[in-house]
Amino acid sequence: MSLWVDKYRPNSLNKLDYHKDQAAHLRKLVQCGDFPHLLIYGPSGSGKKTRIMCLLRELYGSGVTKLRIEHQSFVTPSKKKLEISTVASNYHIEVNPSDAGIYDRVVIQELLKTVAQSHQLQSAAQRQFKGTYYCFLSFSLQYILVVLTEVDSLTKDAQHALRRTMEKYMATCRLILCCNSTSKVIPAIRSRCLGVRVPAPTVNEIIQVLQATCKKEGLNLPAEFANRIAVHSNRNLRRAMLICEACRVQQYPFSENQEIIEPDWELYLKETARQIIDQQSPKRLFEVRGRLYELLIHCIPSDVIMKGLLKELTSNCDGQLKCEITQLAAAYEHSLQLGQKSIYHLEAFVAKFMAIYKRFLEEGLVEGLNDFF
Amino acid sequence: MQAFLKGSSLSKNDGETSTKQKPSSEDKKRLEPWVEKYRPKCVDDVAYQEEVVAVLKKSLKDLELPNLLFYGPPGTGKTSTILAISKELFGDMYKTRILELNASDERGISVVREKVKTFAQLSASGVRPDGRPCPPFKIVILDEADSMTSAAQAALRRTMEKETRSTRFCLICNYVSRIIEPITSRCAKFRFKPLSNDILEKRLQEICKNEGLKFNETAMKAVLETSEGDMRKAITYLQSAGRLKPDEIINAEDICEIAGVVPEDIITELMKVCNNNSYEKLESAVQNIILEGYSATQVMNQLHDTIVTSDDLKDSQKSVICERLAVCDKRLMDGADEYLQIMDLATVIMAQMCNAS
Ligand SMILES: Nc1ncnc2c1ncn2[C@@H]1O[C@H](COP(=O)(O)OP(=O)(O)OP(=O)(O)O)[C@@H](O)[C@H]1O
Ligand SMILES: Nc1ncnc2c1ncn2[C@@H]1O[C@H](COP(=O)(O)OP(=O)(O)OP(=O)(O)O)[C@@H](O)[C@H]1O
Ligand SMILES: [Mg+2]
Ligand SMILES: [Mg+2]
């Protein structure tokens, strides 16, 4: 049995539950076949991937849902072997080049070129069977769609490698790039794409999707509870659906004031922040370090940890201090991106926070005493 | 006799394939995005870059060419120009006389040494197969050279020196500062300027006419403003807007959405929140910007415009804010988190607005 997030993922552009105008515009865009490369961006869980799959289906029909997983191997210039898995149908191929880490450029160079070139041959051969092969639109076989995910985590080298490729093979392949933040995409790539912004659904839109999902499951979801889940999800639809399903397992029938189940790591992160506020000492710093490690080992991204800590810590500080700490977090998260080991930078942030917070408490104490006398 | 037969059968074959391929290549054209469809075919088509066009046109007459270095922002015609001149110089021999290496090719030191060297050493005659004269050299195009390591560039420098007689080099990049000095000093440098609005508009109007697209004045103005002298962007916006709304009136907001411009009221709201001196309100305003999917770089650009022209801030305050803006912008380039960087900048703005007065 699959999770609700997969089971109820809309599979055609006209079934999308929100941003309907955008969906209609996208359909018009692809209908002419000469559309530019696309850069689909928006926050996590806003439905980018869903939208891309709907788009592919619009272009090629249900053939795109017949997926196969392929393992491709590459050899880096330094003779290191790489394995990357791709998801492909007859019409498209999906890759996450950052799976290859710092060798992502090799993947871009090799994969795109072979895909673009081999497809050229293939489509020339298939043209003879004209008619039988063509499914939806008459041009559909002329190019293959390459979906690249997480382009914001590509190295600069890999992004440069994309540039000319994007122009040279336009006739045989079209790219759909998918990312959270366009700030990390170099201007030359942005200049080559049509940007499509997918905002997070509003709280009301999330409530509607939750209600519709529960209805399909034959469940009754109280309005107040749906609202709480939607607010708690921070406008992340995937998160809202997962929470809702977890609550269903916990207790059904739902009640208005049922507890919302948070993921373990979030609770763990909150507890870590509480410990930092609780005591500022080398011993505590050492313990916190262990906890941060624990989070990193469980693949919680370091920027998520940093933002989570900041949110919890600032809710325990005074106004002026809040700003100071925010600026600290921004500086340490930056150095973290440049460095290699996240733990150093996270720990440095915590240590700095402890020092500032302790000083603040002591000053407060002195002032308090002065006032007293 | 044999050779004659062979030749005739070959040419017959050629005739066949070319008639066969004609419709398909036309199909292909139809499916090419407009940026490719309207890529300049000859040097004369290149708009606005008069200086380089003049030099290249002279080279067409004299059949002589210096080493070239083109630099400038994306979408200003660098790649198009060198491809166009190469085709004009060499016609059908284009394939044998040009070596194009771009960032999607392996370009380490060994490649520069081997591939470029072997290519450079091939001889090149001064006549085309059809008897017309052509320059007696080959051209190595190193596109997107900003991504070459300085070691590879250094290796290139030796090769450039050795092969000056038979080979010309053309390096293309966005940032000339990424090219090592010994190379820049060996090339004739040309800066490709962002295209001016009237040139952009003229070109766009031609395309509109050709494609039968109706575009009103306000929409056109929005395209010009948002594409910032990048012809590629301008053409993409034009095509996308035309496609997204084939039968409706395109307005300025549609263009701004395509271009990813943040609506002005969101920026005004952010400034207002900063003036309120409430961290909690700021937190949720910035969170909202991120959830709406706007790019932090874009937010910073627009904040910059607002702050520089603001009447409520003193010059000293503006300078403090702009200094931080530069820092945050750099951090974003390094891949730092968008939310944290906007928050950082916004807390500085808040402090300047609320504490200094
Ligand atoms: N228009 C929609 N209507 C209903 N449900 C949707 C819609 N779009 C997305 N969903 C649901 O939201 C979930 C998350 O969507 P999706 O995987 O497309 O997000 P994403 O933007 O790719 O996120 P990420 O950036 O984290 O990869 C999907 O599993 C799907 O069930
Ligand atoms: N000066 C120009 N005149 C006419 N068309 C132009 C000009 N500059 C750019 N274009 C249009 O923009 C497209 C891209 O131009 P080109 O590839 O030459 O840009 P570039 O300067 O090489 O950019 P990048 O730095 O991103 O590689 C062309 O296909 C053409 O349609
Ligand atoms: Mg996704
Ligand atoms: Mg170029």
Side-chain angles (χ1 to χ4, degrees):
Chain A
M1 221 196 74
S2 56
L3 290 169
W4 291 358
V5 280
D6 295 322
K7 200 166 158 193
Y8 297 110
R9 193 191 278 270
N11 57 12
S12 87
L13 281 177
N14 44 20
K15 282 195 206 137
L16 289 175
D17 298 296
Y18 52 91
H19 308 330
K20 282 175 188 289
D21 284 356
Q22 187 187 53
H25 287 158
L26 280 176
R27 168 170 318 119
K28 284 186 191 147
L29 179 76
V30 297
Q31 257 164 8
C32 292
D34 58 357
F35 61 92
H37 300 300
L38 301 177
L39 174 65
I40 313 251
Y41 63 98
S44 182
S46 61
K48 299 179 292 299
K49 189 65 189 306
T50 310
R51 220 150 274 253
I52 293 173
M53 290 315 289
C54 292
L55 203 65
L56 288 175
R57 205 175 152 124
E58 180 80 21
L59 275 169
Y60 299 113
S62 57
V64 284
T65 51
K66 292 200 189 74
L67 298 173
R68 51 178 191 270
I69 295 179
E70 290 167 349
H71 296 277
Q72 317 236 4
S73 50
F74 303 94
V75 182
T76 68
S78 54
K79 302 279 180 289
K80 195 174 136 62
K81 271 229 169 89
L82 290 177
E83 277 259 331
I84 285 278
S85 56
T86 60
V87 178
S89 72
N90 285 340
Y91 310 98
H92 85 288
I93 176 166
E94 183 189 327
V95 199
N96 183 358
S98 45
D99 283 349
I102 55 165
Y103 298 111
D104 51 358
R105 185 183 56 121
V106 182
V107 175
I108 299 262
Q109 284 176 345
E110 299 301 320
L111 186 83
L112 280 184
K113 261 189 219 167
T114 40
V115 164
Q117 284 165 356
S118 67
H119 190 76
Q120 219 163 5
L121 300 176
Q122 210 183 14
S123 64
Q126 282 177 351
R127 205 164 289 142
Q128 294 166 357
F129 303 99
K130 217 169 194 161
T132 52
Y133 260 92
Y134 284 39
C135 48
F136 249 50
L137 307 157
S138 56
F139 58 83
S140 53
L141 270 179
Q142 288 207 339
Y143 48 73
I144 189 160
L145 272 165
V146 180
V147 180
L148 297 181
T149 52
E150 294 182 29
V151 281
D152 42 1
S153 39
L154 286 183
T155 59
K156 292 274 147 64
D157 261 2
Q159 296 193 30
H160 279 295
L162 260 180
R163 290 170 63 175
R164 189 76 186 115
T165 315
M166 289 174 85
E167 296 177 335
K168 249 182 157 168
Y169 301 114
M170 264 208 186
T172 51
C173 91
R174 215 48 63 73
L175 292 178
I176 298 185
L177 310 178
C178 183
C179 69
N180 290 135
S181 121
T182 49
S183 297
K184 295 181 191 172
V185 180
I186 60 171
I189 300 274
R190 272 184 271 152
S191 157
R192 283 162 170 77
C193 303
L194 168 63
V196 178
R197 182 171 62 92
V198 185
T202 62
V203 168
N204 279 332
E205 284 162 345
I206 292 188
I207 293 176
Q208 276 170 22
V209 175
L210 289 179
Q211 291 289 10
T213 310
C214 284
K215 204 164 158 206
K216 282 180 211 151
E217 283 282 315
L219 305 174
N220 177 29
L221 182 67
E224 180 49 32
F225 187 49
N227 184 47
R228 271 175 51 220
I229 295 180
V231 170
H232 187 86
S233 75
N234 200 14
R235 292 174 62 187
N236 180 331
L237 181 54
R238 181 185 305 111
R239 186 122 158 256
M241 300 260 273
L242 289 172
I243 293 177
C244 190
E245 194 173 356
C247 291
R248 156 81 179 84
V249 176
Q250 188 98 10
Q251 176 193 333
Y252 189 79
F254 294 122
S255 68
E256 297 261 320
N257 46 12
Q258 184 173 345
E259 190 195 352
I260 287 180
I261 301 167
E262 290 182 57
D264 290 344
W265 68 267
E266 275 180 24
L267 296 173
Y268 192 81
L269 185 60
K270 276 187 187 155
E271 172 59 23
T272 310
R274 208 190 51 76
Q275 291 187 4
I276 298 172
I277 293 287
D278 216 37
Q279 195 191 105
Q280 296 80 38
S281 66
K283 182 166 158 286
R284 183 50 61 89
L285 182 59
F286 183 74
E287 287 159 10
V288 166
R289 176 174 214 261
R291 296 181 69 94
L292 293 175
Y293 245 131
E294 194 64 25
L295 285 164
L296 287 170
I297 288 168
H298 285 90
C299 293
I300 308 300
S302 41
D303 57 323
V304 172
I305 300 180
M306 186 68 96
K307 280 187 281 187
L309 281 180
L310 178 68
K311 190 166 167 36
E312 295 302 318
L313 294 178
T314 45
S315 63
N316 276 300
C317 300
D318 259 19
Q320 191 46 46
L321 214 53
K322 284 187 208 286
C323 294
E324 195 179 338
I325 289 158
T326 305
Q327 292 168 12
L328 267 183
Y332 280 108
E333 198 271 338
H334 168 240
S335 66
L336 180 153
Q337 292 297 334
L338 297 177
Q340 270 191 334
K341 286 238 188 296
S342 323
I343 187 77
Y344 299 154
H345 308 273
L346 289 173
E347 192 184 14
F349 170 66
V350 173
K352 188 86 185 174
F353 173 82
M354 282 184 170
I356 293 174
Y357 192 65
K358 202 174 166 87
R359 191 195 64 208
F360 169 76
L361 287 182
E362 280 163 3
E363 275 168 10
L365 204 61
V366 173
E367 264 169 35
L369 286 176
N370 285 346
D371 287 348
F372 186 72
F373 290 115
Chain B
M1 185 65 180
Q2 280 273 346
F4 175 67
L5 274 180
K6 243 189 202 162
S8 78
S9 73
L10 257 182
S11 67
K12 206 174 149 203
N13 262 346
D14 274 351
E16 260 180 38
T17 47
S18 68
T19 47
K20 237 191 217 163
Q21 271 166 5
K22 256 214 175 112
S24 77
S25 76
E26 230 151 59
D27 265 358
K28 238 181 214 171
K29 273 226 181 84
R30 188 173 66 84
L31 296 179
E32 261 179 354
W34 293 358
V35 268
E36 284 305 315
K37 191 169 169 188
Y38 295 100
R39 190 183 278 281
K41 305 278 180 303
C42 57
V43 182
D44 263 328
D45 282 349
V46 175
Y48 199 58
Q49 317 295 357
E50 294 88 8
E51 196 191 353
V52 61
V53 169
V55 169
L56 292 179
K57 275 172 84 174
K58 190 158 173 300
S59 82
L60 271 177
K61 249 193 259 142
D62 310 346
L63 302 182
E64 195 32 78
L65 199 69
N67 287 326
L68 299 166
L69 173 64
F70 294 170
Y71 64 98
T76 47
K78 301 180 294 298
T79 307
S80 311
T81 305
I82 191 68
L83 292 181
I85 187 74
S86 311
K87 290 212 172 108
E88 281 188 77
L89 281 173
F90 299 112
D92 294 338
M93 290 159 61
Y94 173 80
K95 283 243 160 67
T96 56
R97 288 296 181 88
I98 305 290
L99 176 65
E100 189 194 338
L101 289 175
N102 53 63
S104 69
D105 302 297
E106 194 46 55
R107 285 194 302 195
I109 311 181
S110 58
V111 173
V112 167
R113 286 219 182 101
E114 296 307 319
K115 216 171 177 175
V116 175
K117 208 165 130 195
T118 352
F119 178 77
Q121 281 166 352
L122 298 171
S123 62
S125 77
V127 279
R128 294 191 195 187
D130 60 7
R132 298 227 313 268
C134 77
F137 54 75
K138 288 151 286 159
I139 302 181
V140 176
I141 304 173
L142 290 158
D143 204 344
E144 293 143 16
D146 355 31
S147 67
M148 286 177 78
T149 62
S150 8
Q153 291 185 31
L156 183 66
R157 159 190 175 191
R158 299 268 311 133
T159 320
M160 275 174 91
E161 244 165 29
K162 270 205 267 174
E163 314 294 347
T164 40
R165 266 206 289 144
S166 66
T167 311
R168 299 293 176 276
F169 288 82
C170 176
L171 281 86
I172 305 180
C173 62
N174 290 133
Y175 307 100
V176 72
S177 56
R178 305 251 171 92
I179 307 295
I180 60 174
E181 204 273 336
I183 288 193
T184 56
S185 63
R186 282 174 173 75
C187 297
K189 290 196 278 286
F190 294 100
R191 190 172 93 86
F192 280 63
K193 303 161 282 183
L195 284 84
S196 72
N197 278 358
D198 43 327
I199 298 280
L200 276 177
E201 177 163 10
K202 203 170 133 240
R203 190 96 178 172
L204 293 181
Q205 294 291 8
E206 280 168 21
I207 296 179
C208 279
K209 215 170 112 206
N210 208 7
E211 298 285 341
L213 185 69
K214 279 191 210 73
F215 229 71
N216 62 25
E217 216 169 282
T218 46
M220 183 59 83
K221 208 165 142 250
V223 169
L224 298 180
E225 269 166 23
T226 51
S227 53
E228 298 170 320
D230 179 337
M231 175 82 90
R232 187 196 285 122
K233 263 194 202 163
I235 297 178
T236 305
Y237 294 165
L238 187 78
Q239 180 187 12
S240 314
R243 287 280 187 265
L244 291 174
K245 285 185 148 191
D247 0 86
E248 296 160 66
I249 293 172
I250 301 157
N251 50 34
E253 280 90 71
D254 295 323
I255 303 291
C256 288
E257 176 57 44
I258 290 173
V261 175
V262 185
E264 210 39 56
D265 48 335
I266 291 192
I267 300 290
T268 325
E269 180 61 28
L270 185 61
M271 292 297 282
K272 229 162 90 202
V273 170
C274 287
N275 205 9
N276 256 335
N277 207 8
S278 151
Y279 183 87
E280 282 68 28
K281 279 193 188 141
L282 183 64
E283 210 178 5
S284 73
V286 175
Q287 189 66 45
N288 187 48
I289 290 179
I290 300 289
L291 285 176
E292 286 297 318
Y294 293 112
S295 131
T297 329
Q298 184 65 33
V299 172
M300 297 229 177
N301 286 347
Q302 289 180 243
L303 271 178
H304 177 254
D305 295 344
T306 313
I307 284 161
V308 169
T309 54
S310 156
D311 298 326
D312 305 332
L313 291 163
K314 286 186 293 222
D315 282 352
S316 60
Q317 294 172 311
K318 287 183 187 178
S319 74
V320 173
I321 296 172
C322 287
E323 210 172 338
R324 182 58 71 102
L325 203 144
V327 171
C328 293
D329 185 60
K330 160 78 169 65
R331 287 178 181 166
L332 283 175
M333 291 288 283
D334 289 337
D337 183 78
E338 299 193 298
Y339 168 79
L340 289 174
Q341 294 311 321
I342 302 185
M343 279 301 283
D344 187 332
L345 179 64
T347 49
V348 171
I349 299 178
M350 192 160 90
Q352 288 302 317
M353 281 181 147
C354 305
N355 299 349
S357 55

